[in-house]
Amino acid sequence: MNIPYSPSSGVFGALKRRMTRLQARKTMDCTKGRRIVSFSFDDFPRSAAQIGAQTLENYGWRGTYYTSTGFESTKNHLGPLFTAQDVARLVSKGHEIGCHTENHVDCALNPPVVVEREIRQNQKRLRALGAPTPRTFAYPFGEASAHSKALLGQHYACLRGVKNGINRRFADAHQLYATALEGGLDDKALALSFVDDLAKAPGWLIFYSHDISPNPGEWGCTPELLQAVCEAVKMAGFEVLPIIEAYSQLELLEKAA
Ligand SMILES: [Zn+2]
């Protein structure tokens, strides 16, 4: 049986996570005028590569796929995971393939030597799959430490976490806020509240999900929820870009200011 791993919880874990958000930061200002939304999928299940990608493509958009390369052609609580063909198709359609380590390791617990090895293996495998070298990273389980933020920041333009929020004035490119798309239409209020919030002032709103399925697991969402959020984003007139493109554009704006 494939039981998902749970990182440390409780008061100590919460305190440590709060400390980590204040350490090894790479501050960026995302309030220079644009309202950008990025959609990302972690691990990633075939359903995200198929239903998720198709949904975005119907709007002329592309997403970011945080790939744990060790999951290729396997199956777990998220359903069947990506295949080589899925990666090839995503790349050909202009989606971004990002790093999520080879074996989905907790970067807060593992020593730097393991994290380094994990990202090297991930790059090697993605090269073999014909994907460009990943330029952005998402922390497995959302777990980061000051050390891993500093280390991974040397390899990637930006690093994505899992704390809900919009990246604005003092955003941390070493641990970007991202809002979960989980559940079905009954759960749309949270995601839509962030869409409404972005309408009020410029910033960068990142969503993430896992499986996109009529009966999603705990960390996935239904095709209807994804569609509803896409529709709200389109109605609001926001730009939708893969994470590396959003980061690059915001960095240019910041430098020009
Ligand atoms: Zn993951």
mmCIF file of all heavy atoms in Angstrom, residues 46 50 69 111-112 124 152 202:
data_model
loop_
_atom_site.group_PDB
_atom_site.id
_atom_site.type_symbol
_atom_site.label_atom_id
_atom_site.label_comp_id
_atom_site.label_asym_id
_atom_site.label_seq_id
_atom_site.Cartn_x
_atom_site.Cartn_y
_atom_site.Cartn_z
ATOM 1 N N ARG A 46 -0.942 11.777 -14.367
ATOM 2 C CA ARG A 46 -1.307 11.838 -15.792
ATOM 3 C C ARG A 46 -2.518 12.739 -16.003
ATOM 4 O O ARG A 46 -2.634 13.420 -17.011
ATOM 5 C CB ARG A 46 -1.684 10.445 -16.323
ATOM 6 C CG ARG A 46 -0.547 9.473 -16.391
ATOM 7 C CD ARG A 46 -0.768 8.454 -17.492
ATOM 8 N NE ARG A 46 -0.349 9.011 -18.777
ATOM 9 C CZ ARG A 46 -0.496 8.377 -19.933
ATOM 10 N NH1 ARG A 46 -1.091 7.207 -19.978
ATOM 11 N NH2 ARG A 46 -0.076 8.933 -21.052
ATOM 12 N N GLN A 50 -3.091 15.632 -18.750
ATOM 13 C CA GLN A 50 -4.104 15.486 -19.792
ATOM 14 C C GLN A 50 -5.239 16.495 -19.565
ATOM 15 O O GLN A 50 -5.318 17.512 -20.240
ATOM 16 C CB GLN A 50 -4.600 14.037 -19.806
ATOM 17 C CG GLN A 50 -3.453 13.103 -20.222
ATOM 18 C CD GLN A 50 -3.762 11.631 -20.097
ATOM 19 O OE1 GLN A 50 -4.730 11.230 -19.467
ATOM 20 N NE2 GLN A 50 -2.926 10.798 -20.684
ATOM 21 N N THR A 69 10.883 13.034 -10.968
ATOM 22 C CA THR A 69 11.163 12.115 -12.078
ATOM 23 C C THR A 69 11.087 10.638 -11.685
ATOM 24 O O THR A 69 10.782 9.792 -12.517
ATOM 25 C CB THR A 69 12.544 12.439 -12.687
ATOM 26 O OG1 THR A 69 13.364 13.037 -11.682
ATOM 27 C CG2 THR A 69 12.403 13.417 -13.839
ATOM 28 N N PRO A 111 19.962 16.222 4.256
ATOM 29 C CA PRO A 111 21.168 17.046 4.197
ATOM 30 C C PRO A 111 21.418 17.561 2.773
ATOM 31 O O PRO A 111 20.922 16.977 1.806
ATOM 32 C CB PRO A 111 22.277 16.091 4.633
ATOM 33 C CG PRO A 111 21.732 14.728 4.421
ATOM 34 C CD PRO A 111 20.245 14.813 4.556
ATOM 35 N N PRO A 112 22.187 18.662 2.654
ATOM 36 C CA PRO A 112 22.437 19.271 1.341
ATOM 37 C C PRO A 112 22.945 18.269 0.303
ATOM 38 O O PRO A 112 22.556 18.345 -0.859
ATOM 39 C CB PRO A 112 23.506 20.323 1.636
ATOM 40 C CG PRO A 112 23.341 20.642 3.080
ATOM 41 C CD PRO A 112 22.815 19.415 3.750
ATOM 42 N N LYS A 124 19.085 15.107 -14.944
ATOM 43 C CA LYS A 124 19.576 14.089 -15.877
ATOM 44 C C LYS A 124 18.400 13.366 -16.533
ATOM 45 O O LYS A 124 18.363 13.172 -17.749
ATOM 46 C CB LYS A 124 20.445 13.101 -15.083
ATOM 47 C CG LYS A 124 21.274 12.198 -15.937
ATOM 48 C CD LYS A 124 22.217 11.388 -15.072
ATOM 49 C CE LYS A 124 22.635 10.147 -15.841
ATOM 50 N NZ LYS A 124 23.172 9.104 -14.998
ATOM 51 N N LEU A 152 19.045 25.637 -2.972
ATOM 52 C CA LEU A 152 18.228 25.521 -4.185
ATOM 53 C C LEU A 152 18.176 26.846 -4.949
ATOM 54 O O LEU A 152 18.079 26.849 -6.183
ATOM 55 C CB LEU A 152 16.821 25.045 -3.819
ATOM 56 C CG LEU A 152 16.789 23.595 -3.319
ATOM 57 C CD1 LEU A 152 15.511 23.305 -2.533
ATOM 58 C CD2 LEU A 152 16.924 22.619 -4.482
ATOM 59 N N PRO A 202 -2.032 44.936 -8.060
ATOM 60 C CA PRO A 202 -1.127 44.060 -8.812
ATOM 61 C C PRO A 202 -0.429 43.039 -7.920
ATOM 62 O O PRO A 202 -0.250 43.249 -6.719
ATOM 63 C CB PRO A 202 -0.102 45.034 -9.402
ATOM 64 C CG PRO A 202 -0.802 46.347 -9.443
ATOM 65 C CD PRO A 202 -1.719 46.356 -8.253
#
